[in-house]
Amino acid sequence: MTKIAVIAGFLGQTRDRFCLYNEVRSPKEKLEAAAEIEGINGVEIIYPYDCQGIELAETLRRLGLGVAAVNVNVKGEPEFAFGSLTSPDPNLRARAVALIKEGMDLARHLGCGRVTVCPLSDGHEYAFQGDYQEEWRRMRDAFAEAAAYAPDVTLSLEYKPSETRVFSTLPNLSAVILMIKEIGLPNLGVTFDIGHSLYAGEHPAQALAMLYYHGLKPYIHVNDNYRNWDWDLIAGAINFWDLLEVVWTARHYGYDDWWTFDVMPARMDPRSCFATSAKLLKAIFAAAKRIDAKELERLRAATRGERVPRILTYLWRAVGIEIAEEKE
Amino acid sequence: MTKIAVIAGFLGQTRDRFCLYNEVRSPKEKLEAAAEIEGINGVEIIYPYDCQGIELAETLRRLGLGVAAVNVNVKGEPEFAFGSLTSPDPNLRARAVALIKEGMDLARHLGCGRVTVCPLSDGHEYAFQGDYQEEWRRMRDAFAEAAAYAPDVTLSLEYKPSETRVFSTLPNLSAVILMIKEIGLPNLGVTFDIGHSLYAGEHPAQALAMLYYHGLKPYIHVNDNYRNWDWDLIAGAINFWDLLEVVWTARHYGYDDWWTFDVMPARMDPRSCFATSAKLLKAIFAAAKRIDAKELERLRAATRGERVPRILTYLWRAVGIEIAEEKE
Amino acid sequence: MTKIAVIAGFLGQTRDRFCLYNEVRSPKEKLEAAAEIEGINGVEIIYPYDCQGIELAETLRRLGLGVAAVNVNVKGEPEFAFGSLTSPDPNLRARAVALIKEGMDLARHLGCGRVTVCPLSDGHEYAFQGDYQEEWRRMRDAFAEAAAYAPDVTLSLEYKPSETRVFSTLPNLSAVILMIKEIGLPNLGVTFDIGHSLYAGEHPAQALAMLYYHGLKPYIHVNDNYRNWDWDLIAGAINFWDLLEVVWTARHYGYDDWWTFDVMPARMDPRSCFATSAKLLKAIFAAAKRIDAKELERLRAATRGERVPRILTYLWRAVGIEIAEEKE
Amino acid sequence: MTKIAVIAGFLGQTRDRFCLYNEVRSPKEKLEAAAEIEGINGVEIIYPYDCQGIELAETLRRLGLGVAAVNVNVKGEPEFAFGSLTSPDPNLRARAVALIKEGMDLARHLGCGRVTVCPLSDGHEYAFQGDYQEEWRRMRDAFAEAAAYAPDVTLSLEYKPSETRVFSTLPNLSAVILMIKEIGLPNLGVTFDIGHSLYAGEHPAQALAMLYYHGLKPYIHVNDNYRNWDWDLIAGAINFWDLLEVVWTARHYGYDDWWTFDVMPARMDPRSCFATSAKLLKAIFAAAKRIDAKELERLRAATRGERVPRILTYLWRAVGIEIAEEKE
């Protein structure tokens, strides 16, 4: 069974700077909504916001939902607005680290074995605003302490170039790899959010391949955007070929973990949004299976000037698009 | 006296997708805060949100604050999330237009004579999602109806390429000029938000000059960003030269209206943010005065290969930067 | 017969800042190469560079090639590097206008009735560098004079946000519409280059629809990029859905003119590049035919929260992607 | 004496896709031109193109020019257009490596001890086009072999996100750090091109600080752009504050090496361009000296809401801009 999850928070009310979207739902209602969506069999849970006033483990069992990850939010509290893991205030940093540790305990308790953290409030906006080396050190020490706390739980770091800060402390794939190598603990992983990779100016499949190259375990967030902002749109609706290549690359390197939708259903019914997202993703899975690694290798080895035209024709056919045969 | 205002909403609590910033303040408290800021002598007021439970005219008089504009928000109500002025639902459009008319009445009542509207929820995200011609027509009819309602009040249209929609119906300078020409009413103007212009990929001074070229009256919003998003940062802190050129260009064409800060004091004390914004803007005003149109003309007429180096040297000196003299 | 052309210049040697690509070919060899490409039945010819030392009309007749447009290059001569149509030097402007007129004569002679001009060297790089109003006026007068010269030939203006100048005088769709309305001559048209539209931050189908809205005739250049630069890549290889929507929109508004590839075959055999481009484009034509305007209307009228998911599912199926049926 | 150099190639003819700029100059003429420019006391020399038909060492000595670096061009030969260091063809890779080694020999001979390489033709454009892991491995092995060849010469790697390839194999700061750590040789360094950093979406001073954090030696290329393309404009003319912060940061960490202009004088007299570039850079040096690390530390420690406003005021004053005193 393909493991396809949704971030539970997106089943309730969401907002941006100007608007509110959809209905407020309690944590329990969000899970119930998730369980009803065709094609979705798991959730990523925001800690602490979606863990309050609910018997999580029992509810999840009852609803038949797996847990892809516990997403520890170290930015939502007003005290974290100026930064949490990189704050000059050691007490603030300690509180953020404590949250991660609690999330790790919860992850173990829920049997998912993974916490994901995206340190969005750590960064800066203006020239001369930050002490960049010191901020990196603080973040490193925070992640190191958290990772050491629960060696049996993967601490998966999610990079993003900006938002809410203009410049993030952990902006792109290579930065997060450097961070993990510097800490050197084996239970560190990378949350590979396709949209963040696009937004970081990366070619997502290249980024994912390099992650495997460095021996790191990805956990994949699925969404799309126009490469200019983290719009969290339905995956494949814009960068169709990138999604196909990410799926193919993940399978090629043996990924058998969760595919989690980090899609913001602003102006959509959340259930319809995620049911459709799941259907489209499965169509991509099917197309990716039709792309043969050997044949791809053969096409790449074609005369240099023929390489790209042949690959494109092969790909279009693989997804079901009818392309005229070449005349002999 | 230079007329420098602040959007009152920024003196209270603001938010983005992930964080809340600063304290909640009542409309009255926001005005009182504005009045205390050195260098600020006016406000732009969000209608309806900052007009409730307050004797606006009296409070403003008591505080000695001018009114730069009434900013009619046609996006904040949940019903407007899918679009207001371009909604397929005529009732929704009517409600949005009614809000603008109320804002125009209020503007007249407050003696400022201007309403500004930024239709941020009108646009789309996905291919095939919208009927673009029809949406343009609806927006045109909505603005036409509102403008016709109060010929003595300027209806100032604010363009922006995106946010909250990925693609706006009114994305850039030339589009808003086309809109105004098509409607053809003399009380239509343009809210020229420097940050929106940067974000739209425009060269702001060029955009402003073209606005005057087409005989339209600007109303200027002051802020800054990194050209990739409407970050609403302190003006001049990033695109210093653009701000200088906008100020110079506005003066060159006779602008003597309000300079209104549309700066979001996330992670700043709002009063400190705007007091400093005003000081920096005044420094730019002073520098702009030292840039002589005739001299600029002369430098532009230099041998082609010398033009840019000479202009740069002249500008740097004009702002107070010491540049070594050239050897003879 | 679908009219599919290629810009003949791309069949010879091309270059960028750092590299040279492919072989030098004479104008005649370029046309012969074009004639051999399956799926290509016309060319756009660069004037004057691809019109020298060749009996154009006769060669084209012999090869059975149609002419999509004469592309007058007003940037390539070293004297035009600082601008041609907007140059402060009236002699330079006159030379550029004379080139356009010669191109119009040639277009009439070749029976294609259209000249296309992309004024790429007109713009600026630095703050305070240009007199923007004056530059606009000069360009307007230049185009007006050229258009008046040959009322029976369409003068099709091609906008582009930048390159080679950082900021163009004619940067986007709405600007070119303003230009044409100001000149007011009926033989002015718009060269709608999909890649330029993407690069300008536009949603191409929206831009194309607005072009028709203003009663203007497009001439379409087909290519693709990553929205960050005019890469001139094979169309549909990146923004697949945008290409589909452009094709659908063009047909919807009755476009029956040429589809001309403005694709730079750097690192590709030009013939293979354009043969494949033609095949992929025809596949898009076929898919677009399966998208029914009425059905689209019906889907857009769905409950607001269902709209986008249903449109996406419909589109994916239309292009041949298998999507699971929904459970009842 | 501040060491300020210019890339000699920019003193001759340059080109982009559409235009040619300035006069062709022989290697000797370029050096002579460089020597005449006030404020310039060194050059970066392109190998092999600017090393042919000239007695380099003698000419440089006679002209009193230092050598900042030998820039080995591994992209300009037509055979390298599809990639050189990452080419699947081992012979091509060997030829590229041989060029680097020759450049290292030359660097030693010229007494500058540094070669810089920017592998611009290594990357890809289309989904599924490349084997990303393999390409990384090939580049790693190529740089490893070259670095091992001449341990007494620094091999300085220059990253860039794109151009001429859409996606580079070595796109950003963190990637180049990973590359160097993986190779593990002490004579590897990083060419920090300010414009490439801006274009990569980095905050340049943060990038530079992180370079020092990882114990690597930068070599700095000075230029500017609008963060959307490697325009190679005059430094400080756009991102003034970034240049100031880069200069300050470099001095803070002890940089006493060359500042080399990688500015393309399209539409400028090269000599005027670089003389002015040097004057402006020296003005930035002077301003940077007025920014005290201790005071900056104090300002950053201000109440959180006051931090940014105070830093901005301090910076503006440091560069010579008059800011009104605050009222007590």
Side-chain angles (χ1 to χ4, degrees), chain A residues 78-83 87-88 92 124-133 136-137 140 167-175 177-178 181-182 200-203 205-206 208-210 212-214 227 241-242 244-246 248-249 253 291 296-297 300 304-305 307-308 311-312 315, chain D residues 78-83 87-88 92 124-133 136-137 140 167-175 177-178 181-182 200-203 205-206 208-210 212-214 227 241-242 244-246 248-249 253 291 296-297 300 304-305 307-308 311-312 315:
Chain A
E79 63 182 5
F80 291 153
F82 287 70
S87 172
L92 264 182
H124 62 281
E125 287 78 31
Y126 295 94
F128 290 94
Q129 186 182 354
D131 181 333
Y132 314 113
Q133 293 193 352
W136 179 270
R137 254 180 236 114
R140 176 200 64 191
F167 294 102
S168 298
T169 303
L170 205 61
N172 55 41
L173 177 89
S174 296
I177 295 173
L178 280 172
K181 285 181 180 272
E182 187 172 344
E202 298 171 354
H203 181 84
Q206 180 186 18
L208 184 59
M210 292 312 295
Y212 277 101
Y213 177 84
H214 288 285
R227 297 171 197 267
W241 304 110
D242 278 291
L244 180 65
E245 196 186 11
V246 162
W248 186 88
T249 303
Y253 291 113
I291 299 168
L296 203 55
E297 206 47 50
R300 283 179 186 152
R304 311 200 315 172
R307 205 172 286 163
V308 165
I311 291 172
L312 293 180
L315 293 175
Chain D
E79 62 182 6
F80 291 154
F82 287 69
S87 171
L92 264 182
H124 61 282
E125 287 77 32
Y126 295 94
F128 290 94
Q129 186 181 353
D131 181 333
Y132 314 112
Q133 293 193 352
W136 179 270
R137 253 180 238 116
R140 176 201 64 191
F167 294 101
S168 298
T169 303
L170 205 62
N172 56 41
L173 177 88
S174 296
I177 295 173
L178 280 173
K181 285 182 179 270
E182 187 173 344
E202 297 172 354
H203 182 85
Q206 180 186 17
L208 184 60
M210 291 313 295
Y212 278 101
Y213 177 84
H214 288 285
R227 297 171 199 268
W241 304 109
D242 277 292
L244 181 65
E245 195 186 11
V246 163
W248 187 88
T249 303
Y253 291 112
I291 298 168
L296 203 55
E297 206 49 49
R300 284 178 185 152
R304 311 201 314 172
R307 205 174 286 164
V308 165
I311 291 172
L312 293 181
L315 292 176

Side-chain angles (χ1 to χ4, degrees), chain A residues 116-120 122 136 139 143 156-163 168-180 189-211 216 218-219 221 223 230 246 262, chain D residues 172 174:
Chain A
T116 179
V117 176
C118 192
L120 294 184
D122 292 300
W136 179 270
M139 183 176 280
F143 282 137
S156 194
L157 310 186
E158 185 172 357
Y159 66 90
K160 185 173 173 184
S162 73
E163 197 203 20
S168 298
T169 303
L170 205 61
N172 55 41
L173 177 89
S174 296
V176 79
I177 295 173
L178 280 172
M179 176 62 81
I180 290 173
V190 176
T191 300
F192 182 74
D193 184 290
I194 299 173
H196 294 186
S197 182
L198 288 164
Y199 177 31
E202 298 171 354
H203 181 84
Q206 180 186 18
L208 184 59
M210 292 312 295
L211 230 167
L216 294 172
Y219 160 55
H221 272 184
N223 50 25
D230 184 33
V246 162
D262 186 344
Chain D
N172 56 41
S174 296

Side-chain angles (χ1 to χ4, degrees), chain A residues 6-14 22-26 29-35 37 40 43 50 263 265 269-271 274:
Chain A
V6 58
I7 299 184
F10 284 122
L11 294 162
Q13 189 168 66
T14 56
N22 294 314
E23 304 297 309
V24 174
R25 281 200 175 102
S26 71
E29 289 167 334
K30 291 180 195 175
L31 296 185
E32 287 167 352
I37 302 172
I40 300 294
V43 287
D50 280 340
V263 173
D269 175 69
R271 280 171 291 204
F274 292 112

Side-chain angles (χ1 to χ4, degrees), chain D residues 280-302:
Chain D
L280 303 185
L281 183 60
K282 284 177 177 176
I284 294 283
F285 286 158
K289 270 189 197 153
R290 289 191 289 270
I291 298 168
D292 181 63
K294 284 250 158 53
E295 177 63 13
L296 203 55
E297 206 49 49
R298 211 182 61 77
L299 294 167
R300 284 178 185 152

Side-chain angles (χ1 to χ4, degrees), chain C residues 195-217:
Chain C
H196 294 187
S197 182
L198 288 164
Y199 177 31
E202 298 171 354
H203 182 84
Q206 180 186 18
L208 184 61
M210 291 312 295
L211 231 168
Y212 277 101
Y213 177 85
H214 287 285
L216 294 172
K217 285 180 35 175

Side-chain angles (χ1 to χ4, degrees), chain B residues 206-247:
Chain B
Q206 180 186 17
L208 184 61
M210 291 313 295
L211 230 168
Y212 276 102
Y213 177 85
H214 288 285
L216 294 172
K217 287 178 35 175
Y219 160 56
I220 299 181
H221 273 184
V222 183
N223 50 25
D224 211 336
N225 62 49
Y226 287 87
R227 299 172 198 266
N228 59 347
W229 185 250
D230 184 34
W231 292 108
D232 287 338
L233 300 174
I234 290 180
I238 295 101
N239 298 292
F240 181 82
W241 305 110
D242 279 291
L243 179 61
L244 180 65
E245 195 186 12
V246 163
V247 164

Side-chain angles (χ1 to χ4, degrees), chain B residues 82 124 127-130 132-133 136 140 168 172 174-175 182 203 206 209-210 213 245 253 300 304 308 315, chain C residues 82 124 126-128 130 132-133 136 140 168 172 174-175 182 203 206 209-210 213 245 253 300 304 315:
Chain B
F82 287 70
H124 61 281
F128 290 95
Q129 185 181 354
Y132 314 112
Q133 292 194 351
W136 179 271
R140 176 200 66 191
S168 297
N172 56 40
S174 296
E182 186 173 344
H203 182 85
Q206 180 186 17
M210 291 313 295
Y213 177 85
E245 195 186 12
Y253 291 112
R300 284 178 184 152
R304 312 201 312 173
V308 165
L315 293 176
Chain C
F82 287 71
H124 61 281
Y126 294 94
F128 290 94
Y132 314 112
Q133 293 194 351
W136 178 270
R140 177 201 64 191
S168 298
N172 56 40
S174 296
E182 187 173 344
H203 182 84
Q206 180 186 18
M210 291 312 295
Y213 177 85
E245 195 186 12
Y253 290 113
R300 283 180 186 150
R304 312 203 310 173
L315 293 176

